[in-house]
Amino acid sequence: MQETITIQDVFSILIELERSGAKHYEAMAAISEEGPVRTLFQKLKEQEVIHEGIYRHHLTEIESIMFQETDQDYTNYLKGLIVQTFKMLSTLHETPNDQVGAFKALDLEKETLFFLSELKLMLPASHTHWIEVIQGEERKHVTWILNYLNP
């Protein structure tokens, strides 16, 4: 029997990325000095909470949409990436300072962009506008982090 990755699985990954991101950003804001870096982490945390809510909302909406099953090669591809994502998430607590925290934040945001791209491929075009909006916001997050890392 072949395993498959469902659209619900991709939503679950996105929800976990946002939840883990919010926790990471909250922890980083708590250990950061007052100023721009703390504000950055606080702003990122707020965005993660909003995005998690959006994913939960759209997950309930898409349950009525029929989807094509993924082929085994695509399933294996996604499964490998999901394993790597969870490995990355398991290291978030190993963040001794702002610099390391910002690099991990960059990883979180890039992973989110990746899974949003995959989700967009899985959904009918009529259901993807909201993904494009979030992709734009995630790109802004990457820019904010890069501006902090490369002043």
Side-chain angles (χ1 to χ4, degrees), residues 3-21:
E3 291 182 57
T4 187
I5 299 290
T6 67
I7 198 151
Q8 289 84 356
D9 294 328
V10 176
F11 268 98
S12 294
I13 293 297
L14 284 164
I15 288 168
E16 185 57 34
L17 280 164
E18 299 296 339
R19 185 181 354 205
S20 295

Side-chain angles (χ1 to χ4, degrees), residues 119-141:
L119 181 63
K120 189 174 175 186
L121 292 174
M122 298 171 98
L123 285 169
S126 60
H127 290 78
T128 61
H129 176 72
W130 66 272
I131 294 173
E132 294 166 6
V133 171
I134 293 181
Q135 284 175 315
E137 292 172 3
E138 297 293 339
R139 288 183 192 106
K140 284 180 192 172
H141 300 175

Side-chain angles (χ1 to χ4, degrees), residues 12-144:
S12 294
I13 293 297
L14 284 164
I15 288 168
E16 185 57 34
L17 280 164
E18 299 296 339
R19 185 181 354 205
S20 295
K23 287 179 186 175
H24 174 67
Y25 298 142
E26 183 174 48
M28 291 310 304
I31 67 168
S32 298
E33 290 185 25
E34 192 68 41
V37 70
R38 181 180 286 176
T39 302
L40 169 66
F41 288 129
Q42 289 169 334
K43 188 162 50 168
L44 288 168
K45 181 210 177 230
E46 291 168 7
Q47 290 285 300
E48 301 302 275
V49 170
I50 291 168
H51 290 170
E52 180 183 346
I54 291 170
Y55 298 146
R56 289 185 185 283
H57 168 77
H58 285 285
L59 176 57
T60 59
E61 273 188 358
I62 61 97
E63 290 178 348
S64 63
I65 301 171
M66 294 299 292
F67 298 99
Q68 210 176 348
E69 265 195 36
T70 59
D71 66 32
Q72 196 58 43
D73 286 340
Y74 188 68
T75 295
N76 291 340
Y77 161 74
L78 283 177
K79 282 172 59 178
L81 291 169
I82 289 168
V83 167
Q84 286 305 116
T85 298
F86 277 105
K87 284 181 183 177
M88 182 270 299
L89 291 175
S90 72
T91 68
L92 285 180
H93 67 281
E94 302 165 4
T95 309
N97 58 52
D98 294 343
Q99 193 81 4
V100 173
F103 278 109
K104 289 186 182 219
L106 195 56
D107 287 343
L108 277 165
E109 300 300 331
K110 289 189 299 187
E111 290 290 319
T112 301
L113 276 165
F114 171 78
F115 280 103
L116 282 168
S117 294
E118 294 304 315
L119 181 63
K120 189 174 175 186
L121 292 174
M122 298 171 98
L123 285 169
S126 60
H127 290 78
T128 61
H129 176 72
W130 66 272
I131 294 173
E132 294 166 6
V133 171
I134 293 181
Q135 284 175 315
E137 292 172 3
E138 297 293 339
R139 288 183 192 106
K140 284 180 192 172
H141 300 175
V142 169
T143 302
W144 296 342

